[in-house]
Amino acid sequence: AESEAYLHIGLFNKPIDLAATLEQTMATQAGAYYDPKAKKFFLVMVPANDMMLDTMSAHELTHGLQDQHFDLTKYLEPKGKKLDDDQSSARRFVVEGDATFTMLLYAIAANAPGAANGLPPSLMAMIDQQVKTFANMDLSAFSDMTKQQSALMGGMDPEIKKSVEAMDSLPPAVLVPLVTSYTKGALVSSVAYKQGGWKAVDELYKNPPESTEQTLHPETKLFPTRDHPHKVTLPKLAGTELENNVLGEMMWQIYFALWTPKSGTIASEGWGGDHYVVVRRPDSHLVGAIATIWDTAEDAKQFYDGYLATLKVRFPAADVSKPEAGVARSDFGKVWVKLAGAKVYIVDGGDDPKVMDQVVAGAKF
């Protein structure tokens, strides 16, 4: 159901077996992992040298410490509180970013005389620059870095080589959240550490971030004060519900990068909140509804224009000049898009323009 919903609203550009793809992602991309239930970490890919083994171990042992102090199972899947997808991703930024930040600190400290007594400012500046470089990497740069580091360490381990090669076959909507939680997540912990040392990092477990907008922009949206997201709800649409969730800034970045790479980050800036639902009608056709709110009317217009540009790529024969009258999909139905101040509404699929009126009237922010 989730795979069909993602395909329908444009997060996938072709049908995929999501369950099999997630299994492939975990099997090819996990070098090691910590299991909160077993209270152990497992090495999946045995590195060719001790330096890489120690670095990976530092990362996984950090997860063990996180679990010991904050209970990772409760943190990532709290009982009695259902997290939306964007909130879950934001918490993974904290968990993986903390372990990556600590791993980088360990790697530097292991080779720095006197670092056992604390990292001097010069080394902290070095790690700060490394974290920022890491955070700015796209998938291609991340893959290239892995290859270069492996070459410097005596050649790429066969298992890690398979992992890097598998990146090209995994859809961005699956792979990017995984990789980003490590790369950009490290920046979250680095910024927190600069705000108040390890106590500030610990506070991210006691008072978790609420959105990927906060974790993608920790220096402005998470610290010194949080930019809280709007809680958006949608009216119930006729049909069988396939998916009902929040996309968040990260998934909008992925969406735009898939269809219009040059405008991806710009079109998703200023995100304030969203919600989407995809239903299957009795005639088997899918209809998606999305309500978004932005920081300013200018941000909303930027998203609106960017989204229309993606429709021209998704459905090349479509006329996007009158989106409120409906943009024809190449498979079935139309896509209606409505700009209203700082809000943008989307009805993707279907043949009844009155659904847009229902969404606009029933959406709550």
Side-chain angles (χ1 to χ4, degrees):
E2 187 175 353
S3 182
E4 285 187 273
Y6 270 30
L7 178 65
H8 184 75
I9 63 175
L11 283 171
F12 293 154
N13 58 7
K14 61 183 179 181
I16 69 164
D17 181 336
L18 184 55
T21 301
L22 288 171
E23 184 176 350
Q24 180 193 4
T25 303
M26 293 300 103
T28 60
Q29 300 305 308
Y33 69 95
Y34 172 78
D35 184 343
K37 293 180 180 178
K39 307 299 179 189
K40 298 177 181 178
F41 84 81
F42 298 86
L43 198 63
V44 181
M45 302 176 188
V46 181
N49 61 76
D50 289 344
M51 180 180 174
M52 185 172 281
L53 174 61
D54 287 350
T55 303
M56 291 170 66
S57 298
H59 183 103
E60 302 308 329
L61 287 169
T62 302
H63 286 321
L65 288 168
Q66 294 166 345
D67 192 32
Q68 181 180 340
H69 288 270
F70 306 111
D71 193 330
L72 288 183
T73 301
K74 287 183 180 179
Y75 184 74
L76 295 172
E77 298 176 7
K79 289 183 179 179
K81 180 182 180 182
K82 171 126 175 85
L83 300 178
D84 62 52
D85 283 355
D86 194 48
Q87 290 172 326
S88 293
S89 293
R91 292 191 182 204
R92 285 195 295 273
F93 268 67
V94 173
V95 173
E96 296 300 346
D98 177 16
T100 301
F101 178 60
T102 306
M103 175 188 76
L104 294 172
L105 286 171
Y106 168 80
I108 287 179
N111 296 287
N117 299 319
L119 293 172
S122 59
L123 283 179
M124 282 307 302
M126 186 189 304
I127 192 70
D128 187 51
Q129 185 57 46
Q130 189 169 351
V131 166
K132 287 181 178 178
T133 300
F134 210 41
N136 290 328
M137 284 184 176
D138 57 18
L139 288 179
S140 176
F142 183 77
S143 174
D144 290 343
M145 181 196 72
T146 304
K147 293 175 184 176
Q148 290 168 5
Q149 288 183 340
S150 296
L152 289 172
M153 289 189 243
M156 186 175 288
D157 178 85
E159 290 298 313
I160 296 177
K161 184 178 181 182
K162 287 181 185 177
S163 168
V164 173
E165 291 172 348
M167 281 185 175
D168 297 332
S169 64
L170 298 171
V174 173
L175 184 60
V176 170
L178 175 68
V179 172
T180 303
S181 66
Y182 291 83
T183 55
K184 296 187 186 301
L187 183 61
V188 175
S189 288
S190 175
V191 171
Y193 183 84
K194 285 187 287 186
Q195 290 285 323
W198 290 114
K199 286 186 178 180
V201 178
D202 289 351
E203 188 61 28
L204 295 172
Y205 294 92
K206 300 170 186 175
N207 184 19
E210 306 149 286
S211 68
T212 55
E213 181 197 44
Q214 292 177 350
T215 54
L216 287 169
H217 311 283
E219 294 171 301
T220 56
K221 303 293 186 178
L222 190 58
F223 296 102
T225 57
R226 295 192 178 192
D227 185 355
H228 299 290
H230 291 260
K231 180 177 174 58
V232 183
T233 58
L234 287 166
K236 186 171 179 59
L237 301 184
T240 302
E241 202 170 89
L242 297 184
E243 187 68 7
N244 187 329
N245 223 305
V246 174
L247 288 168
E249 182 174 347
M250 180 172 64
M251 292 307 287
W252 280 118
Q253 283 187 4
I254 292 167
Y255 171 85
F256 285 111
L258 183 63
W259 300 106
T260 52
K262 292 184 179 179
S263 65
T265 302
I266 297 173
S268 57
E269 286 178 352
W271 179 91
D274 73 55
H275 207 101
Y276 79 98
V277 63
V278 178
V279 300
R280 191 194 310 280
R281 299 189 329 193
D283 62 4
S284 81
H285 289 298
L286 303 186
V287 179
I290 308 172
T292 69
I293 185 167
W294 301 84
D295 291 344
T296 66
E298 290 75 17
D299 291 325
K301 181 64 164 60
Q302 189 169 258
F303 170 81
Y304 174 82
D305 291 339
Y307 185 80
L308 291 182
T310 69
L311 295 182
K312 191 64 181 173
V313 181
R314 287 171 61 188
F315 314 113
D319 179 4
V320 301
S321 61
K322 298 179 180 179
E324 289 195 44
V327 176
R329 288 180 60 114
S330 55
D331 48 3
F332 170 81
K334 294 182 178 181
V335 182
W336 289 270
V337 191
K338 181 179 179 63
L339 173 65
K343 300 168 185 173
V344 180
Y345 303 89
I346 300 165
V347 173
D348 191 343
D351 49 13
D352 184 1
K354 292 181 181 178
V355 176
M356 176 60 86
D357 296 332
Q358 179 187 353
V359 171
V360 173
K364 304 297 181 186
F365 298 87

